[in-house]
Amino acid sequence: MPSKTTTILAYPGALQSAVFGLQDFLSHTGLNPKIVTNSAEFGLKSDTILLPPATQSVDPKTHPELLDGLKAAAESGALICSACVGVTWIAAAGLDAGRAVTTHWSVAPQLRKDWPQLHVDTDQLVIEHQNLVTAGGMMAWVDLALIVIERLAGHEVMLNTARHFVVEPVRRDQRRFQRFRPILDHGDAQVLRTQTYLERVLDQPISVSNLAQNAGLSERSLQRRFSAATGFNLTRYLQNLRMERAKSLLADSRIPVAEVAAQSGYSDLPAFHRVFSRITGMTPAGFRKSVWSQPTTS
């Protein structure tokens, strides 16, 4: 079992049944999460932080110390997760960094009013990024728990947990076995900024010069520091990241492969096929067939 520090932030107004439900799910796997309620406890190092749902709106601005703790954790590479209203803390702390998030459909209008730049997509139950996971409905904390268990303890442990609690492992499938998991806790803030930025612009043309400008570094310095921090050069890292998006689109939708390629940043379809086949060992169509033909795990 990997040694990971997991924190459940029981912020004022958090749904207590979800707080203790998350604790039960994660404790079953041996992850043993810590429930914290104040800034003194929250200041402890956490690899993963979970923000439970709430039955009513919350105002994170009244607890700046918790927002500061979230920001510091994110900057150190922690995985930040929310269910339902919990995404309010992510919005207030600016942890979305322009990436899409989800929440309960009834919460979305107020979120858009309070944070006009926030990209809220309530059509999706769960939206996963490298270091950010948001889940939609009040009971979506169950899906969130399974995702965190899978990321920290592995696919089989997640499936065994779902069987134990008799819940459906929603959106969990074989692609997760070899999912690209980049290093985020390397301590280089500018490299982490670049990693987050790449997620946001995957479907767009990307140049090293633009990345360097965004990071405030020279191209040479960015490439050197990026490789040292992540273990990948920028080209190989970007290819892996784009293939993760392609795998998600192939598994979760029926859109044509050409559109999958475009949304993954490839205008050249043959090039997309070559990279996808090299990284996954199968064609995009073959991958989609293998995922969609899998039986549901009960």
Side-chain angles (χ1 to χ4, degrees), residues 4 36 63 68 71 77 114 122 132 134 144 150-151 161 226 231 241 244 248 253 267 276-277 282 286 288 296:
K4 296 290 183 180
V36 304
H63 296 278
D68 289 341
K71 291 176 184 177
D114 293 340
T122 56
L132 181 69
T134 56
L144 197 63
E150 185 184 44
R151 287 199 177 198
T161 304
F226 195 94
L241 208 57
E244 283 307 304
S248 292
S253 76
S267 57
F276 190 94
S277 297
M282 61 180 71
R288 170 173 273 168
T296 302

Side-chain angles (χ1 to χ4, degrees), residues 219-234:
E219 294 183 27
R220 184 175 180 180
S221 292
L222 175 61
Q223 300 218 47
R224 176 179 53 80
R225 288 170 58 171
F226 195 94
S227 295
T230 68
F232 293 90
N233 63 41
L234 280 164

Side-chain angles (χ1 to χ4, degrees), residues 21 24-26 28 146 149 160-167:
D24 287 342
F25 268 63
L26 272 64
H28 176 74
L146 294 179
I149 290 168
N160 289 335
T161 304
R163 294 188 189 103
H164 178 80
F165 287 98
V166 196
V167 294

